[in-house]
């Protein structure tokens, strides 16, 4: 799957841009403030119907414009190309897939799996667990769409259980929500577990390529004590949960760590190595979705060269060149060090919100 014929209008400083990206690696080069991240933001909006760096659309819409529009033709090997588009105005969101209006962004997300890697992604392993659950669930969803039904069922039951805990009405209601949470929560945990088992070999291959070490291991924590069913754990913690006013254990507390020789990798790696490790994790996820999911991925990498020396930059560039996904990677300066990658890539220069194809 790849984006062809991308049109962007009124996204930050980009008034209007039309480009024909290559189906593999696209390099976007421009000075600070030229509009590179804005172009990635536009592509992200096309796949998710929201921005990654603004809560409200008004911030992303170009000053003095009413709405922004991003649209593209999405080609895939297995189906005819589909035209998708997103229009955001201050209050409205319009999504269209193949000329039909769709109300939920789920269809868009399934049609165009997008993964973003930005300089702040390096902090993934030290952030709150929510960020890690999001990235893990992104992969689990794209490999198996039914995962989302269980995740939603689980969240509904969890909010009901928390409401019951807060109301003090636990004798009559809690058992019902415990049952519901247990069914969906066990399914969510199983799907995450299977997903990580599938991911591990891709992760080992990616860390071997980027860090020269294939011994990094993903370790999943399902969110309640191992050896217990979720139903037992919930029943055992009911009284403590009532004092807290919320549910302390369950699939909503899942997390994962990355171990090297049994110890958390983040304790021993340098910042640059951490960047490579997170890239290896995210690119392994992308590769797995490319091979197992319904649609191939589009990967957005903002400021790819930041924190990398020339040797490591070259490694990353070679690695992505050998992946089947479509990449959009931004650079402040021309990445001279990887000449043969550049030769096989499409290159665009971004200047004052204008995007110019340059090879
Ligand atoms: N809503 C907006 N309307 C117009 N310009 C904007 C808006 N939001 C940000 N900008 C401007 O867009 C420019 C491009 O930003 P950005 O894409 O982050 O640049 P970079 O190339 O460094 O990634 C910045 O100069 C910023 O001031
Ligand atoms: Mg930027």
């Amino acid at each position: 799957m790849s984006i062809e014929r991308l049109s962007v209008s009124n996204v930050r400083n980009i008034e209007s841009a039309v480009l024909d990206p290559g189906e593999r690696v696209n390099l976007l080069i421009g000075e600070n403030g030229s509009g590179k991240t804005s172009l990635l933001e536009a592509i992200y909006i096309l796949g998710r119907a929201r921005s990654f760096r603004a809560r409200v659309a008004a911030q992303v819409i170009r000053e003095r414009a009413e709405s922004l529009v991003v649209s593209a033709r999405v080609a895939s090997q297995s189906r005819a190309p589909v035209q998708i588009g997103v229009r955001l105005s201050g209050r409205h969101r319009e999504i269209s897939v193949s000329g039909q209006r769709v109300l939920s962004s789920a269809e868009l997300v399934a049609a165009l799996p997008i993964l973003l890697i930005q300089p702040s992604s390096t902090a993934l392993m030290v952030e709150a667990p929510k960020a890690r659950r999001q990235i893990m669930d992104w992969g689990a969803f794209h490999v198996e769409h039914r995962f989302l039904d269980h995740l939603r069922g689980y969240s509904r039951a969890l909010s009901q259980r928390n409401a019951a805990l807060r109301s003090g009405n636990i004798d009559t209601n809690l058992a019902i929500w415990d049952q519901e949470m247990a069914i969906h929560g066990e399914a969510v945990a199983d799907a995450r577990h299977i997903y990580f088992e599938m991911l591990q070999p891709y992760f080992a291959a990616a860390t071997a390529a980027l860090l020269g070490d294939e011994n990094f291991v993903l370790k999943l924590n399902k969110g309640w004590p191992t050896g217990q069913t979720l139903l037992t754990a919930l029943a055992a913690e009911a009284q403590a949960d009532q004092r807290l006013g919320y549910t302390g254990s369950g699939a909503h507390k899942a997390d994962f760590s990355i171990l090297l020789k049994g110890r958390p990798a983040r304790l021993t790696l340098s910042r640059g190595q951490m960047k490579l490790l997170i890239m290896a994790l995210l690119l392994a996820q992308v590769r797995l979705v490319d091979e197992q999911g319904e649609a191939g991925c589009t990967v957005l990498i903002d400021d790819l060269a930041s924190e990398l020396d020339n040797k490591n930059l070259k490694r990353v560039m070679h690695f992505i060149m050998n992946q089947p996904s479509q990449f959009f990677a931004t650079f402040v300066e021309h990445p001279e060090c990887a000449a043969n990658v550049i030769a096989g890539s499409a290159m665009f220069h971004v200047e004052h919100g204008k995007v110019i194809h340059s090879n």
Side-chain angles (χ1 to χ4, degrees):
M1 189 237 52
S2 65
I3 294 175
E4 301 179 345
R5 186 39 69 99
L6 172 71
S7 309
V8 179
S9 76
N10 293 327
V11 175
R12 299 205 188 257
N13 69 336
I14 306 173
E15 181 176 2
S16 164
V18 178
L19 53 153
D20 291 315
E23 59 182 318
R24 301 292 305 289
V25 181
N26 293 277
L27 309 175
L28 312 172
I29 300 166
E31 293 175 353
N32 289 330
S34 57
K36 302 179 299 298
T37 304
S38 304
L39 186 57
L40 297 188
E41 203 175 11
I43 300 170
Y44 189 93
I45 289 170
L46 184 66
R48 304 271 186 105
R50 61 179 178 83
S51 163
F52 57 79
R53 57 172 179 171
R55 264 169 210 272
V56 291
Q59 280 173 33
V60 190
I61 299 167
R62 198 172 68 94
E63 274 165 28
R64 293 187 295 277
E66 290 285 309
S67 60
L68 67 81
V69 181
V70 189
S71 64
R73 191 168 63 223
V74 175
S76 84
Q77 285 174 338
S78 54
R79 315 175 283 224
V82 284
Q83 184 71 29
I84 61 177
V86 175
R87 172 192 293 273
L88 301 179
S89 62
R91 268 166 293 157
H92 295 288
R93 183 178 85 168
E94 274 174 41
I95 304 170
S96 69
V97 176
S98 308
Q100 302 283 319
R101 280 283 298 277
V102 297
L103 294 175
S104 133
S105 58
E107 214 171 312
L108 197 65
V109 171
L112 185 64
I114 287 205
L115 188 106
L116 168 74
I117 304 175
Q118 49 186 340
S120 63
S121 304
T122 303
L124 184 69
M125 300 317 293
V126 294
E127 278 176 42
K130 187 177 174 195
R132 288 185 291 282
R133 277 195 298 277
Q134 278 172 350
I135 200 70
M136 159 165 81
D137 290 349
W138 175 89
F141 166 75
H142 282 293
V143 169
E144 175 55 84
H145 287 349
R146 272 176 306 177
F147 174 73
L148 190 61
D149 299 332
H150 287 298
L151 201 58
R152 285 181 173 156
Y154 181 81
S155 301
R156 271 194 305 273
L158 173 64
S159 348
Q160 300 284 0
R161 187 180 192 268
N162 284 341
L165 287 169
R166 283 192 304 272
S167 73
N169 193 5
I170 68 165
D171 294 338
T172 48
N173 280 341
L174 218 57
I176 304 170
W177 302 122
D178 283 9
Q179 290 280 354
E180 194 71 15
M181 273 181 72
I183 292 168
H184 292 299
E186 297 281 2
V188 165
D190 284 348
R192 286 171 174 160
H193 178 75
I194 292 168
Y195 174 64
F196 264 32
E197 299 242 293
M198 289 166 85
L199 183 60
Q200 180 62 46
Y202 291 87
F203 180 54
T207 53
L210 298 186
L211 291 133
D213 191 333
E214 58 182 15
N215 297 306
F216 291 92
V217 174
L218 292 166
K219 188 163 184 297
L220 180 65
N221 171 347
K222 64 180 174 171
W224 68 91
T226 40
Q228 278 187 22
T229 65
L230 180 51
L231 197 59
T232 321
L234 289 171
E237 291 174 25
Q239 305 243 307
D241 286 350
Q242 196 183 13
R243 281 194 296 277
L244 286 170
Y246 62 86
T247 306
S249 291
H252 60 295
K253 293 285 179 177
D255 197 358
F256 70 88
S257 50
I258 301 175
L259 303 180
L260 181 61
K261 301 194 186 86
R263 288 200 298 163
R266 69 182 160 83
L267 301 181
T268 50
L269 297 191
S270 72
R271 267 189 79 82
Q273 287 174 313
M274 229 24 228
K275 171 157 181 161
L276 293 169
L277 184 66
I278 299 305
M279 284 198 144
L281 171 66
L282 300 178
L283 294 173
Q285 290 194 273
V286 159
R287 186 64 195 259
L288 176 58
V289 172
D290 277 336
E291 289 188 7
Q292 306 280 335
E294 286 173 12
C297 292
T298 291
V299 188
L300 312 176
I301 310 183
D302 203 10
D303 221 345
L304 194 157
S306 74
E307 303 197 64
L308 298 181
D309 58 28
N310 274 345
K311 187 184 95 196
N312 284 321
L313 176 57
K314 225 163 136 175
R315 279 180 161 182
V316 173
M317 300 273 288
H318 277 111
F319 187 72
I320 66 173
M321 187 178 76
N322 292 315
Q323 302 298 306
S325 323
Q326 186 180 38
F327 286 89
F328 291 87
T330 77
F331 297 86
V332 179
E333 276 166 6
H334 201 291
E336 319 266 352
C337 68
N340 56 342
V341 179
I342 291 166
S345 308
M347 194 185 296
F348 298 87
H349 281 96
V350 186
E351 286 169 25
H352 306 295
K354 298 258 182 294
V355 184
I356 304 139
H357 194 180
S358 59
N359 61 346

